[in-house]
Amino acid sequence: MSSSENFLDSVNKMFDQSADLLNLSNGLAEKIKVANSTYTVRFGVRLRDKLETFTGFRSVHSEHWEPVKGGIRYSPFASQMEVEALAALMSYKCSLMDLPFGGSKGALIVDPKKWSKKELQRITRRFTQELAKRDLIHPSQNVPGPDMGTGEDEMAWMADEYKRLHPTEIDALACVTGKPVRKGGIEGRIEATGRGIQYVLKEFFEHPEDYKKAKLAPGLEQQRIMIQGFGNVGYHAAKFLSEEEDSRITAIIEHKGSVINDEGIDVESLKNHFDEKGSFEGFDGFTSDSNKILEKKCDILIPAAVEGVINSKNVNQINTKLIVEAANGPVTAEADQILCKKGVLIIPDFYANAGGVTVSYFEWVKNLTHMRYGLMQRREQERRQTALVDGLEEMLNQDFPRNLKDIITNGATDIDLVRSGLEETMRNGYKRISRKWHADKRISDLRTSAMVIAIKRIADSYYFLGI
Ligand code: NAD
């Protein structure tokens, strides 16, 4: 079985285990599980004096809510099955997090490192045309976003191409999220998934019953954390956990080597080195090993690279108490069962990495309202809070503490509001999952709990549609 077949198989197995607990009407579980449609496109782009043919996919998993939502991945290893697995995870993720979207995902078989920016732009615009023809990119039907191998540039090109094809569409910018702020994006989208991981862990450590099950000491500070993948998600998670929570990032594992430091890696220096050299080589604590490092002892392991990295081959060597699945599908279904039996807690992907789609939701709403979040209230809030502080100073005949005065009198900026909305969404998500886990004796792990909640909500929505 290929790795992408395995991935889809894993997602479906995890679905089946949870759906079995729900007593759904006959055939409904199967209907929810399968992808509604997957579109494959092959198109040519003339590059370097040759007509290059590219293959892309867009899978729509569930349309119980529209638009459907999900990133577009650029990878030489992308396949239809991988895209279907990822689209299914998007349905469960949006359902669990109460976001008004169905699930979708796209991919293009391309190695982005092989092409220049200009060439990638031409490829992306051609791909967008193919998607737009079938409403597979559309503000009210299907809204892509970034994923592995894509970022702000690709999203900006897609939005621009869509606008060219629909010049009179006033909501055209809402056809895709993850755009640069100057092109209709939102502050805080780039950091969102990594920031979400920080909020997940902050909330987890508010639940003594849960961290005690994992045999973890209280508090995020000084926890020894290893992260696999130093891209968008891995870098931001490492940065916020080390800089703001005082956690020790003891290993960061990349494709071509890792960095180890038991005292804690200086994440920003490593980022500068990685950006400059394209690898970790030459950085303090560098080792050319990758896979073996994943098996090093730590308190929390955060796989933030690709699917299937913890599998039946290496699962018995994994030496951690808690796994936070920042990547999609990093733990296979077999490995998941073995780890659960050993008492390792796993915070599942479709909850843990939901920060990205949550902020994408804020961006989509911002595009549809044509107004930025802080515009209406900021100055009014500042005026009222300043009046309150002035009043207190006058009544008490004392100066308000300086360090608090600025915090209280400054109105919320867009990034403050985005982070606040993200924190609220992520923390509430964990509370729901944990509550269900403890309330239902048949549920033995966090993944099953999250999946039961997600499936139940999709099933309810089908029920109200009369299906
Ligand atoms: P990215 O392309 O920015 O970074 C991925 C990093 O992982 C790269 O640096 C790559 O070299 C490294 N990598 C790849 N395979 C590896 C391996 N076998 N071992 C070690 N390192 C490896 O991608 P990203 O946006 O950070 O996404 C990472 C994961 O998070 C993916 O599974 C993606 O689907 C998921 N995710 C991303 C977002 C988002 O907002 N970007 C949202 C939700 C989920």
Side-chain angles (χ1 to χ4, degrees), residues 379-432:
R379 295 291 160 172
E380 176 59 12
Q381 202 182 22
E382 284 189 357
R383 199 181 58 73
R384 284 173 185 238
Q385 285 163 188
T386 306
L388 181 73
V389 168
D390 289 349
L392 281 170
E393 284 182 336
E394 204 176 303
M395 273 162 55
L396 302 171
N397 211 8
Q398 267 182 40
D399 285 343
F400 204 85
R402 262 237 73 76
N403 55 337
L404 294 180
K405 192 166 178 174
D406 285 350
I407 298 176
I408 291 180
T409 54
N410 286 343
T413 61
D414 285 20
I415 185 78
D416 295 331
L417 294 169
V418 165
R419 285 182 183 153
S420 161
L422 175 61
E423 182 164 5
E424 169 75 1
T425 310
M426 298 308 294
R427 281 182 180 268
N428 283 345
Y430 190 81
K431 285 191 182 102
R432 272 198 297 276

Side-chain angles (χ1 to χ4, degrees), residues 73 93 147-149 189 193 228-233 253-255 304-306 326-328 353 356:
R73 176 175 285 199
K93 189 184 299 187
D147 193 68
M148 257 173 66
R189 174 60 185 89
T193 310
Q228 184 195 41
F230 199 51
N232 179 357
V233 180
I253 305 159
E254 255 292 328
H255 251 329
V306 282
N328 283 307
N353 67 31

Side-chain angles (χ1 to χ4, degrees), residues 7 71 73-74 77 82 86 89-90 93 105 112-113 145-151 189-194 227-236 252-258 274 278 280 290-291 294 303-307 309 325-330 349 352-357 360:
F7 183 20
R73 176 175 285 199
Y74 281 7
F77 313 110
E82 180 188 64
L86 290 164
L89 285 175
M90 282 308 296
K93 189 184 299 187
K105 200 81 181 190
K113 294 200 185 87
D147 193 68
M148 257 173 66
T150 57
R189 174 60 185 89
I190 295 180
E191 66 170 43
T193 310
I227 298 183
Q228 184 195 41
F230 199 51
N232 179 357
V233 180
Y235 158 65
H236 285 103
I252 298 183
I253 305 159
E254 255 292 328
H255 251 329
K256 297 179 199 152
S258 316
F274 193 53
F280 290 168
S290 287
N291 296 339
L294 204 60
V306 282
E307 57 266 17
V309 291
E325 293 186 327
N328 283 307
D349 46 7
N353 67 31
V357 69
S360 278

Side-chain angles (χ1 to χ4, degrees), residues 4-16:
S4 52
E5 270 177 274
N6 255 328
F7 183 20
L8 183 58
D9 199 47
S10 268
V11 173
N12 287 341
K13 268 192 192 141
M14 292 170 187
F15 174 95
D16 289 339

Side-chain angles (χ1 to χ4, degrees), residues 8 30-41 56-64 66 68 79-88 91 103-107 131 134-136 141-142 462:
L8 183 58
E30 186 61 18
K31 172 67 207 75
I32 296 173
K33 184 167 71 172
V34 296
N36 286 2
S37 63
T38 304
Y39 173 70
T40 305
V41 55
F57 310 97
R58 187 79 182 154
S59 176
V60 174
H61 176 261
S62 178
E63 290 152 295
H64 64 286
E66 284 180 315
V68 291
S79 69
Q80 175 172 343
M81 288 207 179
E82 180 188 64
V83 170
E84 289 190 0
L86 290 164
S91 295
S104 180
K105 200 81 181 190
L131 295 175
R134 278 106 190 155
D135 287 341
L136 290 166
Q141 294 280 289
N142 196 323
Y462 273 112

